[in-house]
């Protein structure tokens, strides 16, 4: 099956499902979903050979901020037309480069932190720009090996900008370099500088982008990805015939969080009641305003999707893996010490052994829903993904002919 594993994923019209992978934003905490993705890819390789890669199985991979970088890494082609990064490479990338993206050389005293938060971003972003451009090169959105969806937010237009493979043909101005897209979706306010770049359409028209972190719009991009697919279905795309709009029975969704602070761990109303502008920018040992809107964005999406899948009795089609019990340093998005990065890897590994949990729509906390662990759920989803891929190859004239050679 190794030969088949290297073939492009055939359209959903030849299969039974629409497969979606979504990765939240969260800075250095991207090591958590990175660890889980390495496990998923290893399970797919057990089924379909060592050449199998995440991009071979998902119709769309969505990511915000650090998740957008992971999505790009998984789908950017190398010189042979295969993914530039295997999932197992993500962990080492973070371990090697996060300490230079978020330098920890001079811990700032509280007063200096406040001054820094007011005068400019905490980090200059130069190393991030350099390493992302070096790794992703001149690859553009239309070049990715499967469809990707990466949100950012345009502060000049005051509206989200969604970089979507599905939209490139209709909006050629969005066919930006993956490096520019990743830098933009990672530009968290107060942490990294906003990113400006331009694209030129075939007509010669130039479009400007003035972008910040996609977490402002959708820190959990699962719903954005499902929306992009739904637009394609409603638009009559042959890739999705004869699937009907809003037919959730056809969606298979894996949504990976980057962890969240333990309930009541981060801030209190008593403290926040005294904050002004400076307090909301750099109070309580963090960046409250940024933390609040990004966490609320992630949770609201999960609340919505969980409610829909539960109402339709389709819990088996949706897997959300999230740890909402982080405390101390591992709950930060930019502490890139060797100790903390290794601790985050351990968080991801331990999360695999925890039971599959579902958000309680009343309390907002995650609660175990069965004896099945996240690792067991990943194995189950891997079997479904492998079967779906084989089914499409068998039914598609292109896939069937290629396998038969």
């Amino acid at each position: 099956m190794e030969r088949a594993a290297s073939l492009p994923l055939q359209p959903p019209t030849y299969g039974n499902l629409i497969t979606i992978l979504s990765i939240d934003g969260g800075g250095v905490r991207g090591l958590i979903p990175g660890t889980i993705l390495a496990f998923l890819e290893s399970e797919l390789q057990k089924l379909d050979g060592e050449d199998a890669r995440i991009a071979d199985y998902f119709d769309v991979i969505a990511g915000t901020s650090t998740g957008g970088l992971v999505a790009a890494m998984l789908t950017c082609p190398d010189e042979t037309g295969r993914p530039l990064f295997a999932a197992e490479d993500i962990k080492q990338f973070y371990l090697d480069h996060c300490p230079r993206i978020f330098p920890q050389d001079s811990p700032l005293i509280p007063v200096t932190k406040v001054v820094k938060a007011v005068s400019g971003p905490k980090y200059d972003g130069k190393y991030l720009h350099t390493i992302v451009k070096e790794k992703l090169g001149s690859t553009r959105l239309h070049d990715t090996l499967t469809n990707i969806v990466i949100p950012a937010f345009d502060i000049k237009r005051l509206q989200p900008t969604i970089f979507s493979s599905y939209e490139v043909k209709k909006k050629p101005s969005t066919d930006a370099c993956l490096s520019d897209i990743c830098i933009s979706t990672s530009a968290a306010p107060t942490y990294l500088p906003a990113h400006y770049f331009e694209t030129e359409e075939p007509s010669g028209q130039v479009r400007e982008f003035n972008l910040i972190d996609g977490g402002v719009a959708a820190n959990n991009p699962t719903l954005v990805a499902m929306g992009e697919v739904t637009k394609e279905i409603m638009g009559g795309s042959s890739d999705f015939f004869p699937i009907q709009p809003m037919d959730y029975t056809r969606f298979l969704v894996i949504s990976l969080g980057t962890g969240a602070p333990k309930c009541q761990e981060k801030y209190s109303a008593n403290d926040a009641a005294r904050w002004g502008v400076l307090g909301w920018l750099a109070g309580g040992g963090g960046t409250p305003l940024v933390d609040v809107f990004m966490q609320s964005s992630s949770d609201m999406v999960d609340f919505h999707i969980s409610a829909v899948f539960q109402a339709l009795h389709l819990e088996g089609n949706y897997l959300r893996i999230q740890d909402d019990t982080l405390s101390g340093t591992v709950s930060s998005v930019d502490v890139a010490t060797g100790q903390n990065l290794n601790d985050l890897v351990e968080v991801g590994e331990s999360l695999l052994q925890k039971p599959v949990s579902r958000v309680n729509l009343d309390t907002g906390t995650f609660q175990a829903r069965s004896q099945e662990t996240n690792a067991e759920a990943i194995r189950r989803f891997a079997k479904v993904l492998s079967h779906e891929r084989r089914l499409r190859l068998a039914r598609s004239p292109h896939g069937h002919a290629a396998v038969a050679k």
Side-chain angles (χ1 to χ4, degrees), residues 50 159 211 243:
E50 63 181 16
Q159 64 181 29
L211 303 178
I243 300 168

Side-chain angles (χ1 to χ4, degrees), residues 52-69:
R53 296 290 183 268
I54 295 288
D56 299 328
Y57 297 86
F58 289 95
D59 295 304
V60 55
I61 300 178
T64 295
S65 193
T66 197
L69 177 58

Side-chain angles (χ1 to χ4, degrees), residues 1 25 44 82 88 105 140-141 226 231 234 306 371 385:
M1 189 65 185
L44 292 169
R82 296 294 291 145
E88 65 178 1
D105 297 337
R140 290 187 173 271
L141 180 58
M226 294 176 71
K231 285 195 295 183
M234 295 179 67
S306 292
Q371 296 300 312
L385 290 166

Side-chain angles (χ1 to χ4, degrees), residues 6 29 52 62 67 150 216 249 253 259 289 292 303 326-327 355 371 380:
S6 65
R29 299 202 311 253
I150 299 178
V216 174
T249 63
V253 180
L289 193 60
V292 167
F303 290 169
L326 300 185
S327 62
Q371 296 300 312
R380 174 168 55 84

